[in-house]
Amino acid sequence: MDTVTHHGRETAFVATAGERSEETICFVHGSGTSHTVWESQNSLSDRYDLVSLDLSGHGASDDVRADAGYATLSAYSDDLLAVVEETDATAVVGSSLGGAVTLHALLERSFEPDKVILTGTGARMGVLEDLLAWLESDFERAIEFLHEPDRLFHDPNPELLEASRDRMRACGRRTVARDFRTCHRFDVRSDLGEIDVPTLAVCGEYDQLTPPWYHEFLVDELPDGEYATIDDAAHLPMLERPDAFNETLDDFLELR
């Protein structure tokens, strides 16, 4: 992995050179995972340069001292912007918390990528109070809750489920709890009109964590928003239905 140093810490990322360099896509993962959630997007490298990072405290990246909420979003935005600058990324794909990080960077920083794709993301992403409690007191129960049908996945194979559970355990309870509490406090519903970047909101058909109407609200409020559904998927369509997800991204990037 490569790293970039900023704000006294190192952020790790993986960069894959494609056959053409006009477009570089930077992928931002969600709560309790790492850059590995984007491995099924590697097939796009025949057309684009690809970059996927580990946010602070995830994967191979240094952690950061930050309270859940605005401070964590700001720190994670620093990670994203450092990698974007290092790699000259032109488009950003954010999943769930990664989408919130992307929206925060668009609203709070001088950040103007050519295109943005948000998946499993809302302008507000409230988290069930029971889940927040389990993340503090019973981490395994929280993990199992998230891996029940139509939350992270709709109908995954056992290997995909176990790999996802393992990623969350590797991330650790403290970081995962910080991630979800940050999502819970995120709310930019009144600010979306300020984002003048072509944006695609991609929703898994069965996603109960960030259901379709979350994405429809984004598209209604963004000045230049489009909507797409990935059939037979829930919150992580990039893993559950990678071919359909990749085709949707490719169509949006090509048309724009």
Side-chain angles (χ1 to χ4, degrees):
M1 295 186 73
D2 295 311
T3 60
V4 57
T5 301
H6 64 99
H7 299 85
R9 63 184 185 273
E10 286 190 344
T11 293
F13 64 94
V14 173
T16 303
E19 293 183 7
R20 73 178 199 194
S21 58
E22 291 86 354
E23 196 89 71
T24 299
I25 308 172
C26 182
F27 294 94
V28 192
H29 64 78
S31 299
T33 184
S34 71
H35 75 278
T36 58
V37 78
W38 301 109
E39 288 178 346
S40 294
Q41 280 56 66
N42 287 340
S43 62
L44 292 167
S45 66
D46 64 348
R47 299 180 293 290
Y48 309 99
D49 292 343
L50 308 178
V51 178
S52 52
L53 72 148
D54 288 339
L55 296 171
S56 290
H58 304 72
S61 289
D62 292 342
D63 205 353
V64 63
R65 289 183 178 271
D67 293 333
Y70 187 93
T72 291
L73 276 177
S74 184
Y76 290 169
S77 293
D78 290 337
D79 300 334
L80 168 60
L81 296 178
V83 172
V84 165
E85 182 176 357
E86 182 74 9
T87 62
D88 295 322
T90 54
V92 177
V93 182
S95 169
S96 195
L97 170 65
V101 172
T102 303
L103 288 169
H104 181 89
L106 289 167
L107 289 165
E108 300 288 337
R109 311 296 179 85
S110 298
F111 180 46
E112 295 183 3
D114 293 342
K115 307 172 189 75
V116 165
I117 296 96
L118 305 172
T119 183
T121 300
R124 184 181 186 279
M125 293 192 291
V127 178
L128 185 72
E129 291 290 346
D130 283 348
L131 176 57
L132 294 175
W134 295 331
L135 285 165
E136 299 296 338
S137 64
D138 192 343
F139 191 36
E140 282 299 315
R141 185 174 183 180
I143 290 173
E144 289 310 309
F145 172 84
L146 289 166
H147 288 85
E148 290 174 1
D150 294 339
R151 290 178 182 141
L152 293 179
F153 302 103
H154 172 56
D155 185 23
N157 61 52
E159 293 79 10
L160 187 58
L161 272 177
E162 194 54 37
S164 179
R165 293 188 185 103
D166 286 346
R167 273 192 293 265
M168 200 162 282
R169 293 184 185 111
C171 198
R173 186 204 63 77
R174 188 182 69 84
T175 298
V176 178
R178 181 179 69 189
D179 287 350
F180 276 94
R181 289 200 175 277
T182 295
C183 285
H184 188 60
R185 297 172 186 174
F186 178 71
D187 188 350
V188 295
R189 286 174 293 180
S190 63
D191 303 321
L192 294 176
E194 301 173 22
I195 298 174
D196 191 19
V197 176
T199 302
L200 176 67
V202 183
C203 181
E205 178 185 8
Y206 294 100
D207 186 0
Q208 292 183 357
L209 297 179
T210 53
W213 69 266
Y214 279 39
H215 301 76
E216 293 165 358
F217 180 85
L218 286 171
V219 172
D220 288 343
E221 297 296 318
L222 289 165
D224 192 358
E226 298 181 23
Y227 178 82
T229 300
I230 305 298
D231 294 338
D232 299 321
H235 192 62
L236 298 176
M238 78 290 289
L239 282 171
E240 194 167 17
R241 296 290 180 266
D243 291 344
F245 184 85
N246 293 349
E247 183 179 351
T248 299
L249 261 62
D250 195 27
D251 287 347
F252 177 72
L253 294 171
E254 284 290 315
L255 289 172
R256 290 289 184 154

